[in-house]
RNA sequence: CGGGGCGUAGCACAGCCAGGCAGUGCGCACGGUUUGGGACCGUGAGGUCGCAAGUUCGAAUCUUGCCGCCCCGACCA
């Protein structure tokens, strides 16, 4: 293995790919556009799942599982939904292979053609709402608050590990409500959950907002999103929550009798967050030495590297660190004691930096004599030698400090790269340099489209907290009531 | 689907122009010396040169066809 990875400065995209591969997060598979998530990458996803799942449960949701296959007729029912996904669907048309009569291998048995093709789910609204039809009769049956953890397939033309793959893992929440207000509240509540997850667990500040009509989920009345800024100045949509109105209830006939004894269509929401977040995590914090993980999502939070010349010294070190490990474990901190003799300490230092382990402890004979231990921080790449006494307590606090530092750093970066722009000249110039651009927009599809064509920047969102401010559209000069956020996006 | 590039050891690649024993680095195996920031020496294993046909005494190298992958564009979380 060669040393070093390309720097962000040299080639941001190569830097990203190298981190994914060299840190052991994922690799390309023989299947075009599909990735193999390796144990270390999957461990991060499991941490994300756990945090999110707990928050879903805390907000009253239950997990369930619906089929991988969607009958073509289901997908067709909601017109906009169908159109939105039609171009990226994998379709199953046969159910049997047979020995090739002309030679080796297998061929599709043409006699096994399905009466109706099955789509591999790009999302599950239709299958789920078809089921909800049978679950809902009375207002007393509502709300239905369900989430599923699943894989989905969207046949993308160009893919990148984690950021865009043909198959990806995600969770999709699908809820049914008796009233419009309740459904909108749910949509906003789950956006809040995503936002909390991004900021408190991923240490990644996000802007909460609404998508414009052109960026809205196919079949939704309103799409809410969280948008984060990556280190190269491009935006990444990191989670979406949709208010679906009664669109799916109407096409799947999900009606209930309300308290006034009237037949009423249920109101829907759906919300999803995917393995793309692992890509976001990488691009938000990592540096030219490799991955930098926030302690709350790091599979290994502390690694201990023993340093010894004589093999007989290793047991002495192991004995000394054993109580530290158990004390850290009792605080819920995951620790790896790397006593592998095949690699030298220097190699291990570099390796754990590449893997983004937040805290590294180094301990050798010198430390045993002095009662000290070396503590290295991944986020700031600093080292200090401290007394072994009370070290577990110190590390526990240090992990919190690192978590906070990563957030503060990312927030500072975003603030320094968010610009308020009022003229078209400034806009064009600013877009080239990257970052979020806050500007007035006249609210029309035409203007949005024109700006996209001329600059490649899109409206990432209309921020929820934006203040009413009279202004003129940066492109058309027409009146505008508030600023929206533009950026080039992934 | 349009434009460009590439298929040679597990990985990264050289060799091809100008046909003549299939190579280098990393990794891997074994032995020894090493170990506070990616150690070193020695020995060794590992290949249908993408596939097929053709030209030739002889093809990784030349010709034709096919297959696959990557990058750039249109589409997208």
């Amino acid at each position: 293995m060669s040393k070093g990875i390309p720097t962000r400065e040299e080639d941001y995209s190569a830097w990203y790919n190298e981190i994914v591969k060299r840190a052991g997060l994922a690799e390309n598979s023989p299947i075009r556009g599909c990735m193999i998530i390796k144990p270390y990458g999957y461990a991060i996803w499991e941490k994300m799942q756990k945090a999110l799942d707990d928050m879903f449960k805390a907000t009253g949701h239950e997990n369930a599982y619906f089929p991988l296959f969607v009958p073509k007729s289901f997908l067709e029912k909601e017109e906009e939904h169908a159109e939105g996904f039609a171009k990226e669907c994998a379709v199953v048309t046969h159910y049997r292979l047979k020995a090739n009569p002309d030679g080796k291998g297998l061929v599709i048995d043409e006699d096994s053609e399905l009466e109706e093709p099955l789509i591999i789910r790009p999302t599950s609204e239709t299958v789920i709402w078809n089921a909800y039809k049978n679950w809902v009769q009375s207002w007393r049956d509502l709300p239905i608050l369900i989430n599923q953890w699943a894989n989905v397939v969207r046949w993308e033309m160009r893919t990148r590990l984690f950021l865009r793959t043909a198959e990806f893992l995600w969770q999709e929440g699908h809820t049914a409500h008796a009233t419009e207000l309740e459904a909108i509240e749910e949509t906003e509540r789950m956006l809040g959950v995503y936002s909390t997850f991004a900021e408190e667990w991923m240490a990644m500040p996000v802007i909460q907002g609404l998508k414009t009509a052109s960026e809205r989920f196919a079949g939704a009345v309103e799409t809410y999103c969280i948008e984060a800024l990556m280190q190269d100045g491009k935006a990444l949509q990191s989670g979406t929550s949709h208010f679906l109105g009664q669109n799916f209830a109407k096409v799947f006939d999900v009606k209930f009798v309300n308290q006034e004894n009237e037949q009423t269509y249920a109101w829907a929401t759906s919300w999803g967050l995917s393995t793309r977040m692992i890509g976001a995590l990488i691009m938000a914090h990592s540096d030219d030495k490799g991955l930098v993980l926030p302690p709350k999502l790091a599979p290994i939070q502390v690694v201990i590297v023993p340093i010894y010349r004589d093999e007989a010294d290793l047991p002495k070190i192991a004995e000394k660190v054993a109580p530290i490990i158990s004390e850290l474990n009792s605080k819920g901190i995951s620790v790896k004691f790397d006593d592998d003799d095949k690699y030298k300490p220097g190699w291990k230092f570099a390796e754990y930096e590449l893997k983004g382990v937040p805290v590294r402890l180094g301990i050798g004979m010198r430390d045993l004599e002095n009662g000290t231990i070396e503590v290295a921080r991944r986020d700031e790449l600093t080292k200090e030698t401290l007394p072994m006494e009370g070290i577990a307590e110190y590390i526990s606090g240090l992990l919190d400090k690192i978590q906070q530092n990563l957030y503060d750093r990312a927030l500072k970066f975003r603030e320094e790269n968010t610009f308020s722009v009022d003229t078209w000249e400034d806009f064009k110039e600013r877009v080239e340099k990257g970052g979020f651009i806050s500007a007035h927009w006249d609210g029309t599809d035409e203007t949005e489209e024109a700006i996209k064509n001329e600059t490649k920047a899109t409206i990432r969102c209309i921020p929820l907290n934006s203040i009413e401010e009279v202004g003129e559209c940066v492109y058309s000069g027409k009146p505008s009531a508030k600023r929206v956020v533009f950026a080039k996006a992934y």
Side-chain angles (χ1 to χ4, degrees), chain A residues 1 158 164-165 168 237 276 308-309 353 360 366-367 383:
Chain A
M1 193 190 292
R158 294 195 55 202
R164 172 162 297 113
T165 47
F168 58 90
Q237 178 174 310
R276 175 179 240 202
Y308 55 96
R309 200 173 294 264
E353 273 161 12
R360 185 188 73 234
R366 203 159 69 206
D367 294 302
K383 292 195 286 199

Short mmCIF file of all heavy atoms in Angstrom, two decimals, chain A residues 1 158 164-165 168 237 276 308-309 353 360 366-367 383, chain B residues 26-27 35-39 71-77:
data_model
loop_
_atom_site.label_atom_id
_atom_site.label_comp_id
_atom_site.label_asym_id
_atom_site.label_seq_id
_atom_site.Cartn_x
_atom_site.Cartn_y
_atom_site.Cartn_z
N MET A 1 0.85 -1.20 0.00
CA MET A 1 0.00 0.00 0.00
C MET A 1 0.88 1.24 0.00
O MET A 1 1.79 1.37 0.80
CB MET A 1 -0.88 -0.01 1.25
CG MET A 1 -2.01 0.99 1.19
SD MET A 1 -2.81 1.12 2.78
CE MET A 1 -3.58 -0.49 2.89
N ARG A 158 -24.88 7.62 -13.45
CA ARG A 158 -23.51 7.78 -12.93
C ARG A 158 -23.54 7.67 -11.42
O ARG A 158 -24.32 8.33 -10.75
CB ARG A 158 -22.95 9.13 -13.34
CG ARG A 158 -22.76 9.21 -14.84
CD ARG A 158 -21.88 10.38 -15.20
NE ARG A 158 -20.63 10.28 -14.48
CZ ARG A 158 -19.85 11.31 -14.24
NH1 ARG A 158 -20.20 12.51 -14.62
NH2 ARG A 158 -18.71 11.15 -13.60
N ARG A 164 -24.12 8.30 -4.42
CA ARG A 164 -25.14 7.93 -5.38
C ARG A 164 -24.83 6.55 -5.91
O ARG A 164 -23.89 6.38 -6.68
CB ARG A 164 -25.20 8.95 -6.52
CG ARG A 164 -26.12 8.52 -7.64
CD ARG A 164 -26.53 9.66 -8.56
NE ARG A 164 -27.28 10.65 -7.81
CZ ARG A 164 -26.87 11.87 -7.54
NH1 ARG A 164 -25.71 12.28 -7.98
NH2 ARG A 164 -27.62 12.70 -6.85
N THR A 165 -25.61 5.58 -5.50
CA THR A 165 -25.41 4.21 -5.99
C THR A 165 -26.75 3.68 -6.48
O THR A 165 -27.81 4.20 -6.10
CB THR A 165 -24.86 3.30 -4.87
OG1 THR A 165 -25.62 3.50 -3.68
CG2 THR A 165 -23.40 3.58 -4.61
N PHE A 168 -29.18 1.33 -2.65
CA PHE A 168 -28.68 1.90 -1.40
C PHE A 168 -29.56 1.48 -0.24
O PHE A 168 -30.67 0.98 -0.43
CB PHE A 168 -28.51 3.42 -1.49
CG PHE A 168 -29.74 4.21 -1.84
CD1 PHE A 168 -30.58 4.69 -0.85
CD2 PHE A 168 -30.03 4.51 -3.17
CE1 PHE A 168 -31.70 5.47 -1.18
CE2 PHE A 168 -31.15 5.28 -3.50
CZ PHE A 168 -31.98 5.75 -2.49
N GLN A 237 -27.87 17.30 -0.13
CA GLN A 237 -29.17 17.04 0.49
C GLN A 237 -29.03 15.81 1.35
O GLN A 237 -28.59 14.77 0.89
CB GLN A 237 -30.21 16.82 -0.61
CG GLN A 237 -31.59 16.49 -0.08
CD GLN A 237 -32.60 16.42 -1.22
OE1 GLN A 237 -32.68 17.31 -2.05
NE2 GLN A 237 -33.34 15.34 -1.25
N ARG A 276 -26.23 7.59 2.06
CA ARG A 276 -25.57 8.78 1.54
C ARG A 276 -24.96 9.60 2.69
O ARG A 276 -23.97 10.31 2.51
CB ARG A 276 -26.60 9.65 0.81
CG ARG A 276 -26.04 10.94 0.34
CD ARG A 276 -27.08 11.74 -0.38
NE ARG A 276 -26.63 11.99 -1.73
CZ ARG A 276 -27.07 12.97 -2.48
NH1 ARG A 276 -28.03 13.76 -2.04
NH2 ARG A 276 -26.59 13.16 -3.67
N TYR A 308 6.63 -1.26 22.32
CA TYR A 308 7.59 -2.06 23.08
C TYR A 308 8.67 -2.58 22.16
O TYR A 308 8.48 -2.74 20.96
CB TYR A 308 6.87 -3.23 23.76
CG TYR A 308 6.07 -4.08 22.78
CD1 TYR A 308 6.63 -5.24 22.25
CD2 TYR A 308 4.80 -3.70 22.38
CE1 TYR A 308 5.91 -6.02 21.34
CE2 TYR A 308 4.07 -4.47 21.48
CZ TYR A 308 4.64 -5.62 20.96
OH TYR A 308 3.93 -6.37 20.06
N ARG A 309 9.82 -2.84 22.74
CA ARG A 309 10.95 -3.34 21.98
C ARG A 309 11.03 -4.86 22.16
O ARG A 309 11.23 -5.59 21.22
CB ARG A 309 12.22 -2.69 22.51
CG ARG A 309 13.39 -2.71 21.56
CD ARG A 309 14.54 -1.89 22.15
NE ARG A 309 14.22 -0.46 22.24
CZ ARG A 309 14.58 0.42 21.30
NH1 ARG A 309 15.24 0.03 20.24
NH2 ARG A 309 14.29 1.69 21.45
N GLU A 353 -5.35 6.92 11.98
CA GLU A 353 -5.67 8.25 11.48
C GLU A 353 -6.49 8.13 10.21
O GLU A 353 -7.48 8.84 10.02
CB GLU A 353 -4.39 9.05 11.23
CG GLU A 353 -3.94 9.77 12.48
CD GLU A 353 -2.48 10.20 12.47
OE1 GLU A 353 -1.85 10.14 11.40
OE2 GLU A 353 -1.99 10.58 13.54
N ARG A 360 -6.45 8.37 20.22
CA ARG A 360 -5.47 7.29 20.23
C ARG A 360 -4.60 7.43 21.47
O ARG A 360 -4.11 8.52 21.79
CB ARG A 360 -4.58 7.38 18.99
CG ARG A 360 -3.61 6.21 18.88
CD ARG A 360 -2.61 6.40 17.76
NE ARG A 360 -1.62 7.40 18.09
CZ ARG A 360 -1.35 8.46 17.34
NH1 ARG A 360 -1.99 8.68 16.21
NH2 ARG A 360 -0.42 9.33 17.72
N ARG A 366 8.51 3.65 28.75
CA ARG A 366 8.79 4.96 29.34
C ARG A 366 7.60 5.43 30.17
O ARG A 366 7.74 5.97 31.26
CB ARG A 366 9.05 5.94 28.19
CG ARG A 366 9.86 7.15 28.55
CD ARG A 366 10.48 7.74 27.31
NE ARG A 366 9.48 8.35 26.43
CZ ARG A 366 9.62 8.49 25.11
NH1 ARG A 366 10.71 8.04 24.51
NH2 ARG A 366 8.68 9.05 24.39
N ASP A 367 6.39 5.18 29.61
CA ASP A 367 5.17 5.58 30.31
C ASP A 367 4.97 4.75 31.57
O ASP A 367 4.52 5.27 32.59
CB ASP A 367 3.95 5.44 29.39
CG ASP A 367 4.01 6.39 28.23
OD1 ASP A 367 4.09 7.62 28.47
OD2 ASP A 367 4.01 5.94 27.07
N LYS A 383 -0.98 15.96 20.29
CA LYS A 383 -0.61 14.91 21.24
C LYS A 383 -0.21 15.54 22.56
O LYS A 383 0.38 16.61 22.59
CB LYS A 383 0.61 14.12 20.72
CG LYS A 383 0.32 13.30 19.50
CD LYS A 383 1.42 12.28 19.27
CE LYS A 383 2.69 12.89 18.72
NZ LYS A 383 3.55 11.87 18.08
P C B 26 8.62 -2.75 -3.05
OP1 C B 26 9.37 -2.13 -1.95
OP2 C B 26 8.96 -4.13 -3.48
"O5'" C B 26 7.06 -2.71 -2.72
"C5'" C B 26 6.47 -1.56 -2.12
"C4'" C B 26 4.97 -1.69 -2.08
"O4'" C B 26 4.47 -1.94 -3.43
"C3'" C B 26 4.41 -2.86 -1.29
"O3'" C B 26 4.38 -2.61 0.10
"C2'" C B 26 3.01 -2.98 -1.88
"O2'" C B 26 2.15 -1.96 -1.41
"C1'" C B 26 3.30 -2.73 -3.37
N1 C B 26 3.53 -4.02 -4.07
C2 C B 26 2.41 -4.79 -4.40
O2 C B 26 1.28 -4.36 -4.11
N3 C B 26 2.57 -5.98 -5.02
C4 C B 26 3.81 -6.41 -5.32
N4 C B 26 3.92 -7.59 -5.92
C5 C B 26 4.97 -5.64 -4.99
C6 C B 26 4.79 -4.46 -4.38
P G B 27 4.65 -3.81 1.15
OP1 G B 27 4.53 -3.26 2.51
OP2 G B 27 5.87 -4.54 0.76
"O5'" G B 27 3.40 -4.77 0.88
"C5'" G B 27 2.08 -4.39 1.28
"C4'" G B 27 1.08 -5.39 0.76
"O4'" G B 27 1.18 -5.47 -0.68
"C3'" G B 27 1.29 -6.82 1.22
"O3'" G B 27 0.73 -7.05 2.50
"C2'" G B 27 0.58 -7.61 0.13
"O2'" G B 27 -0.82 -7.57 0.29
"C1'" G B 27 0.96 -6.80 -1.12
N9 G B 27 2.19 -7.31 -1.73
C8 G B 27 3.43 -6.73 -1.72
N7 G B 27 4.33 -7.43 -2.36
C5 G B 27 3.64 -8.54 -2.82
C6 G B 27 4.08 -9.66 -3.58
O6 G B 27 5.22 -9.88 -4.00
N1 G B 27 3.06 -10.56 -3.81
C2 G B 27 1.77 -10.40 -3.39
N2 G B 27 0.91 -11.37 -3.72
N3 G B 27 1.33 -9.36 -2.69
C4 G B 27 2.32 -8.48 -2.44
P U B 35 14.35 -1.43 17.76
OP1 U B 35 15.13 -0.20 18.00
OP2 U B 35 14.40 -2.54 18.72
"O5'" U B 35 12.83 -1.03 17.53
"C5'" U B 35 12.47 -0.19 16.42
"C4'" U B 35 10.95 -0.14 16.31
"O4'" U B 35 10.47 -1.49 16.11
"C3'" U B 35 10.27 0.40 17.56
"O3'" U B 35 9.15 1.18 17.20
"C2'" U B 35 9.81 -0.87 18.27
"O2'" U B 35 8.65 -0.67 19.04
"C1'" U B 35 9.50 -1.78 17.08
N1 U B 35 9.58 -3.21 17.42
C2 U B 35 8.43 -3.97 17.25
O2 U B 35 7.39 -3.51 16.84
N3 U B 35 8.56 -5.29 17.61
C4 U B 35 9.69 -5.90 18.09
O4 U B 35 9.65 -7.09 18.37
C5 U B 35 10.84 -5.03 18.22
C6 U B 35 10.74 -3.75 17.89
P G B 36 9.37 2.67 16.59
OP1 G B 36 9.19 2.53 15.15
OP2 G B 36 10.60 3.30 17.14
"O5'" G B 36 8.09 3.45 17.14
"C5'" G B 36 7.99 3.71 18.52
"C4'" G B 36 7.60 5.14 18.72
"O4'" G B 36 7.17 5.27 20.07
"C3'" G B 36 8.74 6.13 18.52
"O3'" G B 36 8.18 7.33 18.02
"C2'" G B 36 9.26 6.32 19.94
"O2'" G B 36 9.81 7.61 20.14
"C1'" G B 36 8.00 6.20 20.76
N9 G B 36 8.14 5.68 22.09
C8 G B 36 9.14 4.96 22.67
N7 G B 36 8.91 4.67 23.93
C5 G B 36 7.66 5.25 24.19
C6 G B 36 6.89 5.27 25.37
O6 G B 36 7.13 4.77 26.45
N1 G B 36 5.71 5.96 25.18
C2 G B 36 5.33 6.57 23.99
N2 G B 36 4.16 7.19 23.98
N3 G B 36 6.04 6.54 22.89
C4 G B 36 7.18 5.88 23.07
P G B 37 8.31 7.70 16.50
OP1 G B 37 9.52 7.10 15.88
OP2 G B 37 8.09 9.15 16.44
"O5'" G B 37 7.01 6.94 15.91
"C5'" G B 37 7.17 5.93 14.90
"C4'" G B 37 6.62 6.45 13.58
"O4'" G B 37 5.28 6.96 13.78
"C3'" G B 37 7.41 7.59 12.94
"O3'" G B 37 7.31 7.51 11.53
"C2'" G B 37 6.66 8.82 13.39
"O2'" G B 37 6.78 9.92 12.49
"C1'" G B 37 5.23 8.30 13.36
N9 G B 37 4.30 9.01 14.24
C8 G B 37 4.52 9.41 15.52
N7 G B 37 3.48 10.00 16.03
C5 G B 37 2.53 9.98 15.02
C6 G B 37 1.20 10.48 14.98
O6 G B 37 0.60 11.04 15.87
N1 G B 37 0.60 10.25 13.77
C2 G B 37 1.21 9.63 12.69
N2 G B 37 0.48 9.48 11.61
N3 G B 37 2.45 9.15 12.72
C4 G B 37 3.04 9.37 13.90
P G B 38 8.13 6.25 10.82
OP1 G B 38 9.18 5.56 11.57
OP2 G B 38 8.41 6.87 9.51
"O5'" G B 38 6.92 5.23 10.68
"C5'" G B 38 5.83 5.54 9.86
"C4'" G B 38 5.17 4.26 9.41
"O4'" G B 38 3.89 4.57 8.84
"C3'" G B 38 5.97 3.49 8.36
"O3'" G B 38 5.66 2.13 8.61
"C2'" G B 38 5.27 3.90 7.07
"O2'" G B 38 5.35 2.88 6.08
"C1'" G B 38 3.83 4.03 7.53
N9 G B 38 2.90 4.86 6.78
C8 G B 38 3.03 6.05 6.14
N7 G B 38 1.90 6.48 5.62
C5 G B 38 0.99 5.49 5.94
C6 G B 38 -0.39 5.36 5.68
O6 G B 38 -1.14 6.13 5.08
N1 G B 38 -0.92 4.20 6.21
C2 G B 38 -0.21 3.26 6.89
N2 G B 38 -0.86 2.19 7.32
N3 G B 38 1.08 3.35 7.17
C4 G B 38 1.60 4.49 6.66
P A B 39 6.97 1.23 9.11
OP1 A B 39 6.65 -0.18 8.76
OP2 A B 39 7.26 1.66 10.48
"O5'" A B 39 8.16 1.79 8.25
"C5'" A B 39 8.85 0.98 7.34
"C4'" A B 39 10.25 0.73 7.87
"O4'" A B 39 10.17 0.01 9.12
"C3'" A B 39 11.07 -0.15 6.97
"O3'" A B 39 11.69 0.63 5.96
"C2'" A B 39 12.08 -0.75 7.93
"O2'" A B 39 13.15 0.12 8.16
"C1'" A B 39 11.26 -0.88 9.22
N9 A B 39 10.72 -2.22 9.45
C8 A B 39 9.42 -2.64 9.43
N7 A B 39 9.26 -3.90 9.73
C5 A B 39 10.55 -4.34 9.96
C6 A B 39 11.07 -5.60 10.33
N6 A B 39 10.32 -6.67 10.53
N1 A B 39 12.41 -5.69 10.47
C2 A B 39 13.17 -4.61 10.27
N3 A B 39 12.80 -3.37 9.93
C4 A B 39 11.46 -3.31 9.80
P C B 71 -16.06 6.77 -13.10
OP1 C B 71 -16.04 7.31 -11.73
OP2 C B 71 -17.31 6.25 -13.68
"O5'" C B 71 -15.49 7.88 -14.10
"C5'" C B 71 -14.32 8.62 -13.75
"C4'" C B 71 -13.89 9.49 -14.90
"O4'" C B 71 -13.63 8.65 -16.06
"C3'" C B 71 -14.94 10.47 -15.42
"O3'" C B 71 -15.06 11.63 -14.62
"C2'" C B 71 -14.42 10.76 -16.82
"O2'" C B 71 -13.30 11.63 -16.78
"C1'" C B 71 -13.95 9.38 -17.25
N1 C B 71 -15.01 8.65 -17.99
C2 C B 71 -15.23 8.99 -19.33
O2 C B 71 -14.55 9.89 -19.83
N3 C B 71 -16.19 8.33 -20.02
C4 C B 71 -16.92 7.38 -19.44
N4 C B 71 -17.85 6.75 -20.16
C5 C B 71 -16.72 7.02 -18.07
C6 C B 71 -15.76 7.67 -17.39
P C B 72 -16.49 12.27 -14.43
OP1 C B 72 -16.39 13.18 -13.28
OP2 C B 72 -17.51 11.20 -14.42
"O5'" C B 72 -16.70 13.12 -15.77
"C5'" C B 72 -15.71 14.02 -16.25
"C4'" C B 72 -16.11 14.55 -17.60
"O4'" C B 72 -15.89 13.53 -18.61
"C3'" C B 72 -17.59 14.88 -17.77
"O3'" C B 72 -17.96 16.11 -17.19
"C2'" C B 72 -17.74 14.86 -19.29
"O2'" C B 72 -17.18 16.02 -19.87
"C1'" C B 72 -16.87 13.66 -19.64
N1 C B 72 -17.69 12.42 -19.71
C2 C B 72 -18.43 12.19 -20.86
O2 C B 72 -18.39 13.00 -21.79
N3 C B 72 -19.19 11.06 -20.94
C4 C B 72 -19.22 10.21 -19.92
N4 C B 72 -19.98 9.13 -20.04
C5 C B 72 -18.47 10.43 -18.72
C6 C B 72 -17.72 11.54 -18.66
P G B 73 -19.45 16.32 -16.70
OP1 G B 73 -19.54 17.73 -16.25
OP2 G B 73 -19.80 15.24 -15.77
"O5'" G B 73 -20.29 16.13 -18.03
"C5'" G B 73 -21.05 17.22 -18.54
"C4'" G B 73 -21.82 16.82 -19.78
"O4'" G B 73 -21.27 15.62 -20.35
"C3'" G B 73 -23.29 16.48 -19.57
"O3'" G B 73 -24.09 17.64 -19.47
"C2'" G B 73 -23.60 15.66 -20.82
"O2'" G B 73 -23.89 16.48 -21.93
"C1'" G B 73 -22.29 14.92 -21.06
N9 G B 73 -22.34 13.54 -20.57
C8 G B 73 -21.79 13.02 -19.42
N7 G B 73 -22.02 11.74 -19.26
C5 G B 73 -22.77 11.39 -20.38
C6 G B 73 -23.32 10.14 -20.77
O6 G B 73 -23.23 9.06 -20.18
N1 G B 73 -24.01 10.23 -21.96
C2 G B 73 -24.17 11.37 -22.69
N2 G B 73 -24.87 11.26 -23.82
N3 G B 73 -23.66 12.56 -22.36
C4 G B 73 -22.98 12.49 -21.19
P A B 74 -25.17 17.72 -18.30
OP1 A B 74 -25.56 19.13 -18.15
OP2 A B 74 -24.66 16.97 -17.13
"O5'" A B 74 -26.39 16.90 -18.91
"C5'" A B 74 -27.40 17.56 -19.68
"C4'" A B 74 -28.32 16.53 -20.27
"O4'" A B 74 -27.52 15.50 -20.89
"C3'" A B 74 -29.20 15.79 -19.25
"O3'" A B 74 -30.41 16.49 -19.01
"C2'" A B 74 -29.43 14.45 -19.94
"O2'" A B 74 -30.48 14.52 -20.88
"C1'" A B 74 -28.10 14.23 -20.66
N9 A B 74 -27.18 13.42 -19.85
C8 A B 74 -26.18 13.86 -19.01
N7 A B 74 -25.53 12.89 -18.42
C5 A B 74 -26.13 11.74 -18.89
C6 A B 74 -25.90 10.38 -18.64
N6 A B 74 -24.95 9.94 -17.80
N1 A B 74 -26.68 9.48 -19.26
C2 A B 74 -27.64 9.93 -20.09
N3 A B 74 -27.95 11.18 -20.41
C4 A B 74 -27.15 12.04 -19.77
P C B 75 -30.86 16.76 -17.48
OP1 C B 75 -32.13 17.52 -17.58
OP2 C B 75 -29.74 17.30 -16.70
"O5'" C B 75 -31.19 15.30 -16.97
"C5'" C B 75 -32.40 14.65 -17.30
"C4'" C B 75 -32.53 13.39 -16.50
"O4'" C B 75 -31.31 12.61 -16.66
"C3'" C B 75 -32.61 13.61 -14.98
"O3'" C B 75 -33.94 13.89 -14.56
"C2'" C B 75 -32.11 12.27 -14.45
"O2'" C B 75 -33.10 11.28 -14.51
"C1'" C B 75 -31.00 11.94 -15.45
N1 C B 75 -29.67 12.39 -14.99
C2 C B 75 -28.92 11.53 -14.16
O2 C B 75 -29.42 10.44 -13.85
N3 C B 75 -27.70 11.92 -13.75
C4 C B 75 -27.21 13.10 -14.10
N4 C B 75 -26.00 13.43 -13.67
C5 C B 75 -27.94 14.00 -14.93
C6 C B 75 -29.16 13.60 -15.35
P C B 76 -34.17 14.55 -13.11
OP1 C B 76 -35.60 14.82 -12.98
OP2 C B 76 -33.17 15.62 -12.86
"O5'" C B 76 -33.82 13.29 -12.18
"C5'" C B 76 -34.09 13.35 -10.81
"C4'" C B 76 -33.25 12.34 -10.09
"O4'" C B 76 -32.04 12.06 -10.84
"C3'" C B 76 -32.75 12.81 -8.73
"O3'" C B 76 -33.71 12.51 -7.74
"C2'" C B 76 -31.48 12.01 -8.54
"O2'" C B 76 -31.75 10.71 -8.06
"C1'" C B 76 -30.94 11.90 -9.97
N1 C B 76 -29.91 12.90 -10.33
C2 C B 76 -28.69 12.92 -9.63
O2 C B 76 -28.50 12.12 -8.71
N3 C B 76 -27.75 13.82 -9.98
C4 C B 76 -27.97 14.68 -10.98
N4 C B 76 -27.01 15.55 -11.30
C5 C B 76 -29.20 14.69 -11.69
C6 C B 76 -30.14 13.79 -11.34
P A B 77 -33.90 13.53 -6.47
OP1 A B 77 -35.34 13.63 -6.32
OP2 A B 77 -33.10 14.73 -6.55
"O5'" A B 77 -33.32 12.67 -5.28
"C5'" A B 77 -34.01 12.70 -4.07
"C4'" A B 77 -32.99 12.68 -2.95
"O4'" A B 77 -32.61 11.32 -2.69
"C3'" A B 77 -31.71 13.47 -3.28
"O3'" A B 77 -31.36 14.40 -2.31
"C2'" A B 77 -30.65 12.40 -3.45
"O2'" A B 77 -29.45 12.75 -2.83
"C1'" A B 77 -31.23 11.17 -2.75
N9 A B 77 -30.88 10.01 -3.55
C8 A B 77 -31.43 9.59 -4.72
N7 A B 77 -30.87 8.51 -5.21
C5 A B 77 -29.88 8.21 -4.30
C6 A B 77 -28.92 7.18 -4.25
N6 A B 77 -28.83 6.24 -5.20
N1 A B 77 -28.08 7.16 -3.19
C2 A B 77 -28.18 8.12 -2.26
N3 A B 77 -29.05 9.14 -2.21
C4 A B 77 -29.88 9.12 -3.26
#
